[in-house]
Amino acid sequence: MDSKRIYGIRGATSVENNEKSIIDSVGEMCDSIFKQNNITSEDIVSIFFTMTEDIDALNACTALRRSNCGIDVSKCALFAAKEPELKNSMPLMIRVLVTAYMKEGSEVHHVYLGRAANLRPDFASATVCKK
């Protein structure tokens, strides 16, 4: 029997402030996180989003539910909050922390898409974090 433990998987994506862009970008980011980390609906503990203040067209949780993210998230605990306002922060960003059960010793694959790749070039270019 494989033992599992809880892991945190991070990601971020850039969006335009309209529903289609938010749905498409959040769906792509989460689909990539789920696939790269072999996560199913049953593995997820919670998904927490932050959004920069300039995003007001759609909540990231709603966007995930409306997206084609590859798994059924209808029963997952989702939460979104406003990103803290900081000088020189990158605009139009949605960040995510997926908390999920994975096999002990798994390699965590973080996902940074679009302009968000500039936030963590170390993860964007080598999307593996060995734990």
Side-chain angles (χ1 to χ4, degrees), residues 1 18 24-25 35 52 55 60 64 69 73 83 94 105 109 112 116 119 122:
M1 179 169 163
N18 64 68
D24 290 348
S25 297
K35 284 181 180 169
T52 53
I55 302 170
L64 181 61
C69 66
V73 293
E83 181 93 9
I94 296 178
H109 299 266
Y112 287 76
L119 297 170
D122 52 332

Side-chain angles (χ1 to χ4, degrees), residues 55-130:
I55 302 170
D56 61 8
L58 190 67
N59 180 296
C61 298
T62 303
L64 181 61
R65 286 188 199 100
R66 291 183 186 173
S67 76
N68 183 12
C69 66
I71 65 172
D72 178 11
V73 293
S74 64
K75 294 183 178 146
C76 294
L78 306 177
F79 188 83
K82 185 172 91 170
E83 181 93 9
E85 291 182 57
L86 301 170
K87 290 181 185 177
N88 302 319
S89 64
M90 199 173 291
L92 297 166
M93 287 289 141
I94 296 178
R95 292 172 174 83
V96 68
L97 173 62
V98 176
T99 307
Y101 284 97
M102 295 169 55
K103 289 182 184 177
E104 180 118 20
S106 292
E107 291 182 348
V108 175
H109 299 266
H110 304 285
V111 174
Y112 287 76
L113 303 176
R115 289 181 291 106
N118 295 321
L119 297 170
R120 290 300 304 260
D122 52 332
F123 288 156
S125 60
T127 61
V128 177
C129 180
K130 295 187 183 204

Side-chain angles (χ1 to χ4, degrees), residues 32-66:
S32 184
I33 288 171
F34 302 151
K35 284 181 180 169
Q36 289 186 39
N37 292 286
N38 299 312
I39 293 172
T40 67
S41 297
E42 295 78 25
D43 298 323
I44 295 174
V45 174
S46 63
I47 300 174
F48 180 74
F49 294 98
T50 61
M51 301 166 43
T52 53
E53 184 164 332
D54 49 5
I55 302 170
D56 61 8
L58 190 67
N59 180 296
C61 298
T62 303
L64 181 61
R65 286 188 199 100
R66 291 183 186 173

